[in-house]
Amino acid sequence: MSALLDSLRQICGTAHVLTHDDPRTDLSAWETDWRRRDFGNALAVVRPANTAEVAAVVKACANTFTAIVPQGGNTGLVAGSVPDASGQQIVLSLQRMNSVRAIDPDNLTMTVDAGCILQNLQDAAEKAGYLFPLSMAAQGSCTIGGNLGTNAGGTQVVRYGNTRELCLGLEVVTPRGEIWHGLTGLRKDNTGYDLRHLMIGSEGTLGVITAATLKLYPLPAAQLTAWAAVPSLEAAVQLLGLAHQHLGAGLTGFEVMGQFALSLADKYFPNLRVPLYKATPWCVLLENSDHESEAHARSQFERLLEVAMNAGCVSDAVVAESIAQAQGLWQIRESITSAQAQEGLNIKHDISIPISQIPAFVQATDALLLQEIPNVRLVNFGHLGDGNLHYNVQAPQGGHDQVFVRDMEDRVNQLVFDSVARFKGSISAEHGIGSQKVDKLPRYKDPVAIGMMRAIKSALDPQNIMNPGRVLAP
Amino acid sequence: MSALLDSLRQICGTAHVLTHDDPRTDLSAWETDWRRRDFGNALAVVRPANTAEVAAVVKACANTFTAIVPQGGNTGLVAGSVPDASGQQIVLSLQRMNSVRAIDPDNLTMTVDAGCILQNLQDAAEKAGYLFPLSMAAQGSCTIGGNLGTNAGGTQVVRYGNTRELCLGLEVVTPRGEIWHGLTGLRKDNTGYDLRHLMIGSEGTLGVITAATLKLYPLPAAQLTAWAAVPSLEAAVQLLGLAHQHLGAGLTGFEVMGQFALSLADKYFPNLRVPLYKATPWCVLLENSDHESEAHARSQFERLLEVAMNAGCVSDAVVAESIAQAQGLWQIRESITSAQAQEGLNIKHDISIPISQIPAFVQATDALLLQEIPNVRLVNFGHLGDGNLHYNVQAPQGGHDQVFVRDMEDRVNQLVFDSVARFKGSISAEHGIGSQKVDKLPRYKDPVAIGMMRAIKSALDPQNIMNPGRVLAP
């Protein structure tokens, strides 16, 4: 292996090949996954400066059959970007590749290195007068390469789609160390198979994304937020339909939160002053982005809420009067994860269900779990606008959270995922498979699809050096 | 081969396996391509009734190494859906599979057989109160399976994307005759490689699409059309930017037409009364779809046009006063293809260029062609909103059109495509590769991409029985 390390040092410079040989070097930031469940041991952390260096690193690894784990901000939630414990895998960190290569206003695109932090891209777009709409809790540290590798979702998917819908072109280093120059800014290009979409969401198992051309949008003139109490999940789904009809593409956010989830937010963050939740089982956060004016956005919202109240699907509602109030409402939504962590360890799910089936799914799955675990507590919230629920399971009041998770996680996962399958949903809506769900996939994914995935993996990475064991089990 | 034909008759019924053995049977509708340039000779035309029959047909063909050419409405423009002249290939027609399987209003989706005619799907959606926005000239006879196989574009791509952006799930028969059950209606599903996007646009070379789950949208409350005279292509691009800003997602159409293209429309369809074109080199057709009201749509349009006139990028404009007027403006746009055909045979291109580069591309390419062929006439029009030009080349006034096309087509194609490549465009924006452009692709497509495409094709269709010779040269 020292020959490989010598090659890598020649390619990237000694300072950018970090190993455990120097006892002063702490590699844990690259070796430990975000949820602190996986602790790997890397042969080296390699930090190339540009695409040519990435290609040379991959070639050197291919020559020595060395496995490569591509890594961006290492904020993934399914342990897909950390090395295994063998000490034989290298982490290929894209963090030094963080330039915005170009912004093309008339084409509404920007071309960026994979290691750019998401929030920096939002800022660069805004500075140029445009919106890059990908948005999620980890945006201060996740990278666009990681967003693309995992096809990240977030809070504006109802309007702008997942990361894949925001990408027009890619530059990728293949498992052979070749460079695919696919950085097109075209909205129409029917010249062969769509390799871009194959790479996006493949979690680094088919190549290394080194750059991307992304879509920009005009900045909205105003963004307003409303909070509605709804009597049932059925009513929330009905409200979503009315919101599509009355706000059109202005509807950029539609989040649902259950009463218990909001009670935890209220308990641990009392200064957030959670509105309306005590009298209703569900609340909905709506966002309306308007290209005309704040006054127009407000009148649109008021019209929608009036129609919804008359239809009986909203019992009470507030529209934020200021940007600070709007941010406060979003903070409540985003505080739920932290609040439930303070309440204790819990069993998390990132699932999607056809929107029309969500009320029936929640009713059926709640009943199953309560039958299995009397008094179990369900922290249910998520992006209802795109059918994505974070359906989390918390120990009964007074139960020991660590014991609960240790003893019940497998059983609860199976109950929830089997129910997801019955309702034709997905066991991973936006987080991906990584290594965390790799053993579960064969039970829930069509076997013909898995067969095609394996054939493609073998064809493009016959040595199985790109992030092996992720997405597809060995 | 008679053993194969016997099997096919057993699978589909004798009435649905058409061959030349019966001299009364005319197969030319399935054997001749839409532009009447390719005349094939099929072993048989097979018309299965359902997905199980498709799978059995593919298995029977795989067992005998028989090539399969999937076919929908056979309206493609690159000769991708007709058999070769060998008499050894079967045409697999999906036309009998034409049911809308389900409409799910709360999920905003519909699930349909591949053989459904596009216009029937638009009608079914509208009857349920929703919009299926895919729209193109061939909609009365093209099928959704063909739209998916070729990733068709059309006139509303600026807002709703190409066919791939409108599809959430697929059912596909693989080259082995297995059925991949991927008919999900989920907007988020990160459970492995995106096989859906790999199949879409693969022109039947990786499998047979038998059904799809498609996105629906709320019906707009009003749709208004405007016609603007612009002093230059630069001004048209500037107007597009203003339209994005002022109409937001209301902008559902943005078509540009050159003066010569419009003069042909005026010459052959004088009753269409082409407005404004005599005093300006370019006209733009804009469509604004509004979820509020016609009055709102009109005020938005008027505000946009006022801003654009003050900015100098529009010299004159009209907003249609009635639906009949709006349809009349669209008819002008759609009459150009027919008008130029009446003027004589011409050399057609379906190209895309980054929108910011279109003015420079047109200037440079016009100059190249005029240098090569003095007085050549350029019929230039297209979907500027998504960077797609139909950049067509007509013989000089008084020249013999057939001789011109025969002698000049290869040379003109190369001049145009080389120019497209210099401006980082695509030689096929929305029509695909088929057999017409298959020999040109290697010159213009990244070789690493072609290598990956070949690896995928070999992995999924090792016998090369699915539409062989299309997309990838043998």
Side-chain angles (χ1 to χ4, degrees):
Chain A
M1 283 301 165
S2 79
L4 171 65
L5 292 175
D6 287 346
S7 300
L8 297 176
R9 290 188 180 109
Q10 276 181 1
I11 294 163
C12 300
T14 304
H16 303 299
V17 180
L18 313 176
T19 69
H20 290 289
D21 293 346
D22 182 344
R24 292 165 302 181
T25 306
D26 178 8
L27 301 185
S28 61
W30 292 276
E31 293 175 327
T32 309
D33 91 295
W34 187 254
R35 294 178 65 192
R36 303 192 67 77
R37 290 177 155 219
D38 267 35
F39 303 89
N41 176 29
L43 173 65
V45 174
V46 186
R47 294 156 47 88
N50 53 51
T51 305
E53 287 187 14
V54 174
V57 166
V58 173
K59 264 190 190 143
C61 290
N63 289 338
T64 53
F65 303 92
T66 304
I68 300 164
V69 181
Q71 190 181 90
N74 196 19
T75 60
L77 296 172
V78 289
S81 60
V82 289
D84 68 12
S86 68
Q88 303 294 310
Q89 302 186 323
I90 73 150
V91 172
L92 180 61
S93 168
L94 281 293
Q95 283 174 311
R96 288 178 65 216
M97 294 174 58
N98 58 9
S99 297
V100 175
R101 295 193 191 176
I103 293 184
D104 183 343
D106 283 338
N107 199 45
L108 286 175
T109 51
M110 68 177 167
T111 299
V112 306
D113 283 346
C116 290
I117 303 275
L118 175 54
Q119 195 169 308
N120 294 346
L121 296 183
Q122 296 167 347
D123 293 347
E126 190 170 342
K127 203 174 151 196
Y130 296 92
L131 171 73
F132 180 59
L134 189 66
S135 177
M136 65 197 69
Q139 63 197 29
S141 45
C142 65
T143 66
I144 189 67
N147 300 146
L148 289 159
T150 59
N151 185 33
T155 51
Q156 302 209 70
V157 173
V158 65
R159 164 65 180 103
Y160 298 104
N162 301 286
T163 308
R164 74 168 67 258
E165 278 86 25
L166 297 171
C167 175
L168 294 172
L170 289 180
E171 180 186 84
V172 170
V173 172
T174 72
R176 294 180 181 188
E178 298 171 315
I179 301 170
W180 166 40
H181 296 282
L183 279 180
T184 168
L186 303 173
R187 274 155 172 87
K188 283 185 172 177
D189 180 16
N190 279 347
T191 55
Y193 307 157
D194 200 318
L195 302 170
R196 161 192 53 152
H197 280 307
L198 185 63
M199 291 292 162
I200 297 172
S202 67
E203 305 188 26
T205 63
L206 300 177
V208 185
I209 294 171
T210 52
T213 300
L214 305 168
K215 288 187 198 170
L216 298 175
Y217 287 84
L219 278 169
Q223 209 163 43
L224 248 69
T225 308
W227 185 278
V230 298
S232 65
L233 263 183
E234 287 83 353
V237 170
Q238 193 187 350
L239 174 61
L240 175 63
L242 292 172
H244 278 303
Q245 192 187 327
H246 288 272
L247 305 180
L251 182 68
T252 50
F254 195 97
E255 302 284 316
V256 74
M257 295 150 286
Q259 191 174 41
F260 178 59
L262 289 173
S263 77
L264 292 180
D266 197 28
K267 177 174 173 185
Y268 294 100
F269 301 97
N271 58 326
L272 290 178
R273 304 167 63 126
V274 182
L276 306 180
Y277 84 95
K278 285 186 182 161
T280 189
W282 299 93
C283 289
V284 172
L285 176 67
L286 300 98
E287 187 179 78
N288 180 18
S289 299
D290 195 287
H291 58 84
E292 277 182 73
S293 64
E294 188 176 320
H296 184 255
R298 192 170 299 277
S299 77
Q300 291 287 101
F301 246 159
E302 285 165 359
R303 187 170 150 225
L304 164 66
L305 292 170
E306 189 188 328
V307 170
M309 282 185 173
N310 288 339
C313 60
V314 166
S315 55
D316 199 356
V318 290
V319 179
E321 291 295 329
S322 65
I323 291 177
Q325 266 190 22
Q327 287 174 338
L329 294 175
W330 273 107
Q331 273 174 8
I332 294 168
R333 161 65 182 83
E334 278 156 14
S335 75
I336 294 174
T337 304
S338 173
Q340 69 175 337
Q342 292 188 50
E343 182 75 4
L345 280 182
N346 54 79
I347 302 167
K348 292 181 195 298
H349 304 100
D350 161 47
I351 57 178
S352 60
I353 307 286
I355 293 164
S356 52
Q357 299 299 307
I358 282 182
F361 165 82
V362 170
Q363 189 181 29
T365 315
D366 283 6
L368 273 175
L369 287 168
L370 283 162
Q371 190 180 356
E372 184 87 6
I373 311 165
N375 300 314
V376 71
R377 295 177 300 168
L378 298 160
V379 183
N380 197 347
F381 63 102
H383 318 296
L384 186 65
D386 42 62
N388 180 191
L389 291 182
H390 296 300
Y391 185 89
N392 298 340
V393 181
Q394 198 113 17
Q397 183 80 43
H400 191 295
D401 60 338
Q402 285 169 315
V403 173
F404 172 75
V405 170
R406 185 195 66 198
D407 294 347
M408 299 306 295
E409 184 157 27
D410 285 346
R411 177 73 185 132
V412 166
N413 279 341
Q414 183 161 342
L415 277 173
V416 171
F417 292 159
D418 284 358
S419 185
V420 165
R422 280 193 293 278
F423 285 90
K424 299 190 186 309
S426 167
I427 66 164
S428 184
E430 59 178 7
H431 295 167
I433 298 299
S435 43
Q436 202 203 326
K437 292 183 185 165
V438 77
D439 60 322
K440 296 177 181 68
L441 196 61
R443 183 179 171 97
Y444 301 105
K445 185 98 179 172
D446 183 272
V448 175
I450 290 197
M452 288 194 277
M453 285 165 54
R454 285 197 182 280
I456 292 165
K457 169 72 173 174
S458 297
L460 298 184
D461 181 19
Q463 297 191 115
N464 192 27
I465 61 169
M466 289 305 312
N467 216 3
R470 270 67 193 254
V471 183
L472 290 166
Chain B
M1 282 300 165
S2 79
L4 172 65
L5 292 174
D6 287 346
S7 300
L8 297 176
R9 290 188 181 107
Q10 276 182 3
I11 295 163
C12 301
T14 304
H16 302 300
V17 179
L18 314 177
T19 70
H20 290 288
D21 294 346
D22 182 344
R24 291 166 304 182
T25 307
D26 178 7
L27 301 185
S28 60
W30 292 277
E31 293 174 327
T32 310
D33 90 294
W34 187 254
R35 295 179 63 192
R36 304 192 67 76
R37 289 177 154 220
D38 267 36
F39 303 90
N41 177 30
L43 172 65
V45 174
V46 185
R47 294 156 48 87
N50 54 51
T51 304
E53 287 187 14
V54 174
V57 167
V58 172
K59 264 190 190 144
C61 291
N63 288 339
T64 54
F65 302 93
T66 304
I68 299 164
V69 181
Q71 191 181 90
N74 196 22
T75 60
L77 297 171
V78 290
S81 59
V82 289
D84 69 13
S86 68
Q88 303 294 309
Q89 302 187 323
I90 73 149
V91 172
L92 180 61
S93 169
L94 280 294
Q95 283 174 310
R96 288 178 66 216
M97 293 172 59
N98 57 9
S99 297
V100 174
R101 295 192 190 176
I103 293 184
D104 183 343
D106 283 337
N107 198 44
L108 286 175
T109 50
M110 67 177 167
T111 299
V112 306
D113 282 347
C116 290
I117 304 275
L118 175 54
Q119 195 169 310
N120 293 348
L121 295 184
Q122 295 167 348
D123 293 347
E126 190 169 340
K127 202 174 152 196
Y130 296 92
L131 172 73
F132 180 60
L134 189 65
S135 177
M136 65 197 71
Q139 64 198 26
S141 45
C142 65
T143 65
I144 191 66
N147 300 146
L148 289 159
T150 58
N151 186 32
T155 51
Q156 302 209 70
V157 174
V158 64
R159 164 67 181 100
Y160 298 103
N162 301 286
T163 308
R164 72 167 70 256
E165 278 87 26
L166 297 171
C167 176
L168 294 172
L170 289 180
E171 179 186 85
V172 171
V173 172
T174 73
R176 295 179 181 189
E178 298 171 313
I179 302 170
W180 165 40
H181 297 281
L183 280 180
T184 167
L186 302 173
R187 276 156 170 85
K188 282 184 170 176
D189 180 16
N190 280 347
T191 55
Y193 307 158
D194 199 318
L195 302 170
R196 161 191 55 149
H197 280 308
L198 185 63
M199 291 293 163
I200 297 172
S202 68
E203 305 189 24
T205 64
L206 299 177
V208 184
I209 295 171
T210 52
T213 300
L214 305 167
K215 289 187 199 171
L216 298 175
Y217 288 84
L219 278 171
Q223 208 162 44
L224 249 68
T225 307
W227 185 277
V230 299
S232 65
L233 265 181
E234 287 83 353
V237 170
Q238 193 188 347
L239 174 60
L240 175 63
L242 291 172
H244 277 303
Q245 192 187 326
H246 287 273
L247 305 181
L251 182 69
T252 50
F254 195 98
E255 301 283 316
V256 74
M257 295 150 286
Q259 193 175 39
F260 178 59
L262 289 173
S263 76
L264 292 180
D266 198 27
K267 179 174 171 184
Y268 294 100
F269 301 97
N271 59 324
L272 290 179
R273 304 168 61 127
V274 181
L276 306 181
Y277 83 96
K278 285 186 181 160
T280 188
W282 299 93
C283 288
V284 171
L285 176 67
L286 300 96
E287 188 179 78
N288 181 18
S289 299
D290 197 287
H291 58 85
E292 275 182 74
S293 64
E294 188 177 320
H296 184 255
R298 194 171 296 279
S299 77
Q300 290 288 98
F301 245 159
E302 284 165 359
R303 185 170 151 226
L304 165 66
L305 292 170
E306 188 188 330
V307 170
M309 282 186 173
N310 289 339
C313 61
V314 165
S315 56
D316 200 355
V318 290
V319 179
E321 290 296 328
S322 65
I323 290 177
Q325 266 190 21
Q327 286 174 337
L329 294 176
W330 273 108
Q331 273 175 7
I332 296 169
R333 162 65 182 84
E334 278 158 13
S335 74
I336 295 174
T337 303
S338 172
Q340 68 173 339
Q342 292 188 49
E343 182 74 3
L345 281 181
N346 54 78
I347 303 166
K348 293 182 193 296
H349 302 101
D350 161 46
I351 56 178
S352 60
I353 307 285
I355 293 164
S356 53
Q357 298 300 307
I358 282 183
F361 165 82
V362 170
Q363 189 182 28
T365 315
D366 283 6
L368 273 176
L369 287 168
L370 283 163
Q371 191 181 355
E372 184 88 4
I373 311 166
N375 300 314
V376 73
R377 296 177 299 169
L378 299 160
V379 184
N380 197 346
F381 62 101
H383 319 295
L384 185 65
D386 43 62
N388 180 191
L389 291 182
H390 296 302
Y391 184 89
N392 297 342
V393 181
Q394 198 112 16
Q397 183 81 42
H400 190 297
D401 61 337
Q402 286 169 316
V403 173
F404 172 74
V405 171
R406 185 195 66 197
D407 293 348
M408 300 306 296
E409 184 157 27
D410 284 347
R411 177 74 185 132
V412 166
N413 279 342
Q414 183 161 341
L415 276 172
V416 171
F417 291 160
D418 284 358
S419 186
V420 165
R422 281 193 295 278
F423 285 91
K424 300 191 186 306
S426 166
I427 65 164
S428 185
E430 59 178 6
H431 296 167
I433 299 299
S435 41
Q436 202 203 328
K437 292 183 184 164
V438 77
D439 60 322
K440 295 176 182 69
L441 196 62
R443 183 179 171 97
Y444 300 105
K445 185 98 179 173
D446 183 273
V448 174
I450 290 198
M452 287 194 279
M453 285 165 55
R454 285 197 184 281
I456 292 164
K457 170 72 173 173
S458 298
L460 297 184
D461 180 19
Q463 296 192 115
N464 192 27
I465 62 167
M466 289 306 313
N467 215 2
R470 271 64 192 257
V471 184
L472 291 165

